[in-house]
Amino acid sequence: MKKLKGSLTIFLSLILVFTSGLFFTLSEVARFMSLKSQSARASELSFESIFAEYNIPLWENYGILGVDGAYGKDAFDIKKVGSRLSANMELNGTADGVSFLQEAPSRSEISEYTLLTDNSNAAFIKEAAIFMGTHVAESAIEEIQDLTSQYQNASKGITDEDIENAPTNELSAEELSKLSTAEDPRESESEFKKKDLLDSFIPEGKEVSDKKKSHSNLPSKRSFRTGTGQIESPSTMEGILFKFYLFENFSSYEKHLNHPGIKYEQEYLIFGKDNDRENLKTMVAAILAFRVAANNISLLTDSNKKSQAKGLATLLGFWTFNDAVIKGIEAAIIESWAFAESVRDVRSIMDGEKVPLMKRNDDWTTTIFTIASSFVKGAKAKKSDTGIDYDDYLKIMIFLKPEGTLSDMALDVIEDSIRSVEHYENFRVDNMLISMKADVNYQAKPLFLSYVLFLNGDVSIYDFPKEMEKSYLTYKLEPE
């Protein structure tokens, strides 16, 4: 039998070498692509996990997202966040166990971050605007702007020139005779003003909160730490939407949201007193002052009422034979009349009713004969289907304040409230991380290339770097 030559065995061996090299090379290429895809997913998941740890009370009570960079402690440290990111990458990698796709994190470096309070609370205002962006109709914005304009005009009151030019009618003898039965309202007004403001205006059965701020050194009283990133200042529209956010997400005398901390949050935004009672008292005084100014205008532009005031002043001061004295009494009667009507208005407003912003004759409740009786507890203005209520006054006053001041006050409320929650005693708004950039990297060793003769030792390690960036300002969910 003829023997086979050895040259054929060498040829097959060479084919096997190149075939196996191609097989292992292709296997390594497939493994490399899988590792690259896996590292990208692990990096994304590790980074997203940081943002998934948002502060729950901040979100549930106020609709704001932020990660506590102090992780329950008082001092913010970006290194803590970096350590959290490294731990997440270790967890999401496959460094341990038996796997063809083993890889391990080699780098997690935070390059940039911004906080909720950066750039004069810009992130806070922008987050609130994003939250409200789909809830506020253009017509609602126009309505509050128009209402605010009317409020400002009425608040200016009436000038001496308006008083001089206001029309009057001559009263008949019969009308003058009737006026002789009217009381001098000045003494009743003086006695009323000595009483406690809230006791005079809060309806029977409605309790007034006595809660006080629980903490000192709140945001409006301290300097903030700042992040390393840049954030644009809020636009005009974002500022408007922020104010609507405050209307909807902060509690008040009429709106009970069961937040921890003070109960009259919107009133605090406007007046900044340390306790609910003082904030409500100041709010009532502000509404009363506006009602007096508006009702003065209504009185002095009503010829019949102005004539009645002049007639009563003449009866009360005729014995002085001094026109200046009589004019002074007339002015006092008009002031008392406007004040008496305003007292009735405020009682109605504090009882949840509406009162026209500027009253016409048909809207008026108090007559010159019933001024004194208006100061009796419980006397209210006649009911009206039109006008504005307590919440509308809050909206107007909030709308008139700059968003920078409001954001400081709002962060006071939020921080004081959340610090009252168990396990959140160290909460600080300037610890809240809202955006971050990081450079991360996974590494893996070649596996099949050691079986490829001409590549053995040429590739020692694979690097899978990725630049990560996330911000709560780019996506938003609604609280349940």
Side-chain angles (χ1 to χ4, degrees):
M1 184 176 179
K2 189 177 182 180
K3 294 183 178 179
L4 297 175
K5 294 181 179 180
S7 60
L8 183 61
T9 303
I10 295 173
F11 178 73
L12 287 174
S13 297
L14 289 173
I15 290 176
L16 286 174
V17 167
F18 283 105
T19 302
S20 62
L22 178 62
F23 171 77
F24 287 121
T25 300
L26 292 175
S27 297
E28 190 65 25
V29 168
R31 177 175 175 268
F32 176 85
M33 297 305 294
S34 296
L35 284 167
K36 184 177 181 180
S37 176
Q38 177 179 275
S39 68
R41 288 196 302 270
S43 298
E44 187 79 19
L45 180 59
S46 300
F47 203 69
E48 286 281 3
S49 294
I50 296 292
F51 285 82
E53 295 180 303
Y54 56 84
N55 185 283
I56 294 174
L58 178 63
W59 172 244
E60 291 183 344
N61 291 331
Y62 297 100
I64 298 297
L65 288 169
V67 174
D68 184 0
Y71 290 99
K73 305 298 182 182
D74 186 59
F76 176 91
D77 187 353
I78 195 63
K79 292 180 181 178
K80 293 180 182 178
V81 185
S83 297
R84 202 79 158 196
L85 178 59
S86 296
N88 289 343
M89 291 180 69
E90 289 281 356
L91 184 65
N92 293 315
T94 56
D96 299 327
V98 178
S99 172
F100 286 111
L101 300 177
Q102 286 187 9
E103 59 184 358
S106 62
R107 185 187 182 196
S108 58
E109 183 178 324
I110 296 173
S111 57
E112 190 176 294
Y113 66 95
T114 54
L115 303 173
L116 189 67
T117 52
D118 284 354
N119 189 13
S120 300
N121 310 328
F124 173 46
I125 294 172
K126 285 176 174 289
E127 268 211 64
I130 291 170
F131 178 77
M132 292 305 297
T134 58
H135 297 274
V136 182
E138 187 176 342
S139 59
I141 296 174
E142 293 174 353
E143 181 181 348
I144 189 63
Q145 288 175 327
D146 180 60
L147 198 58
T148 302
S149 178
Q150 293 179 47
Y151 177 89
Q152 287 178 301
N153 291 335
S155 296
K156 293 174 184 176
I158 197 162
T159 65
D160 292 338
E161 184 180 353
D162 293 327
I163 294 172
E164 289 296 325
N165 296 331
T168 56
N169 295 332
E170 290 297 326
L171 296 178
S172 66
E174 182 181 356
E175 289 173 320
L176 279 172
S177 177
K178 285 182 179 179
L179 284 176
S180 64
T181 63
E183 297 180 49
D184 184 345
R186 291 173 291 177
E187 185 176 346
S188 299
E189 177 188 359
S190 178
E191 287 299 315
F192 176 83
K193 288 181 176 178
K194 296 177 183 177
K195 298 177 181 178
D196 180 77
L197 194 68
L198 293 183
D199 184 60
S200 299
F201 290 106
I202 301 300
E204 293 287 346
K206 279 199 174 184
E207 295 184 2
V208 174
S209 169
D210 286 314
K211 294 204 73 172
K212 299 179 180 180
K213 288 193 299 182
S214 303
H215 306 89
S216 57
N217 194 31
L218 291 173
S220 65
K221 306 295 184 184
R222 70 172 188 257
S223 298
F224 292 141
R225 59 175 54 87
T226 58
T228 59
Q230 299 295 317
I231 183 168
E232 293 182 357
S233 298
S235 65
T236 300
M237 181 54 67
E238 285 174 328
I240 292 172
L241 291 173
F242 171 65
K243 291 175 181 180
F244 275 93
Y245 159 82
L246 297 176
F247 304 156
E248 297 296 326
N249 294 279
F250 283 66
S251 61
S252 70
Y253 167 74
E254 289 284 10
K255 183 187 291 182
H256 309 291
L257 298 179
N258 297 317
H259 293 163
I262 59 174
K263 298 303 178 186
Y264 306 150
E265 295 176 331
Q266 291 189 42
E267 289 84 350
Y268 177 84
L269 300 180
I270 303 166
F271 303 110
K273 306 293 183 182
D274 285 339
N275 62 81
D276 281 334
R277 178 171 284 273
E278 284 302 310
N279 280 313
L280 184 61
K281 189 174 182 178
T282 312
M283 181 66 186
V284 171
I287 297 174
L288 179 61
F290 170 78
R291 292 308 318 156
V292 169
N295 288 335
N296 256 309
I297 295 173
S298 296
L299 270 177
L300 289 168
T301 54
D302 186 312
S303 58
N304 188 52
K305 290 187 179 66
K306 191 165 184 288
S307 299
Q308 288 179 326
K310 183 178 181 181
L312 181 57
T314 302
L315 290 172
L316 293 173
F318 77 94
W319 55 273
T320 65
F321 302 105
N322 188 320
D323 287 343
V325 172
I326 293 173
K327 281 190 175 181
I329 295 173
E330 179 187 349
I333 290 171
I334 288 175
E335 188 276 332
S336 291
W337 199 349
F339 185 76
E341 182 73 9
S342 301
V343 166
R344 289 178 177 269
D345 291 344
V346 175
R347 286 198 184 112
S348 295
I349 290 166
M350 299 309 292
D351 202 19
E353 297 176 13
K354 292 183 176 182
V355 171
L357 193 68
M358 293 296 298
K359 287 192 169 186
R360 298 178 180 177
N361 187 54
D362 292 342
D363 301 318
W364 205 265
T365 303
T366 311
T367 70
I368 200 164
F369 303 99
T370 60
I371 294 175
S373 64
S374 296
F375 301 124
V376 175
K377 188 172 178 64
K380 297 195 303 182
K382 64 171 66 173
K383 288 197 174 184
S384 174
D385 294 329
T386 60
I388 64 174
D389 57 18
Y390 183 84
D391 280 344
D392 291 325
Y393 278 101
L394 279 176
K395 288 179 182 179
I396 291 169
M397 292 182 191
I398 287 174
F399 207 83
L400 287 171
K401 293 185 80 72
E403 59 264 23
T405 302
L406 287 170
S407 66
D408 282 342
M409 296 293 102
L411 290 175
D412 275 2
V413 170
I414 290 173
E415 186 167 295
D416 188 64
S417 173
I418 294 178
R419 282 188 185 183
S420 302
V421 179
E422 189 178 5
H423 306 307
Y424 292 90
E425 294 83 359
N426 293 319
F427 174 83
R428 289 173 60 114
V429 291
D430 51 333
N431 285 346
M432 292 298 106
L433 187 74
I434 59 98
S435 70
M436 188 169 72
K437 292 181 181 179
D439 296 314
V440 299
N441 190 62
Y442 275 98
Q443 288 185 337
K445 294 181 179 180
L447 180 61
F448 297 112
L449 293 187
S450 58
Y451 301 108
V452 182
L453 295 177
F454 57 86
L455 288 178
N456 188 26
D458 289 353
V459 181
S460 60
I461 200 93
Y462 298 137
D463 279 303
F464 301 104
K466 190 171 179 62
E467 293 181 358
M468 307 296 300
E469 181 177 0
K470 291 291 178 184
S471 172
Y472 286 131
L473 299 180
T474 58
Y475 59 93
K476 196 75 174 181
L477 300 173
E478 293 187 19
E480 295 180 359

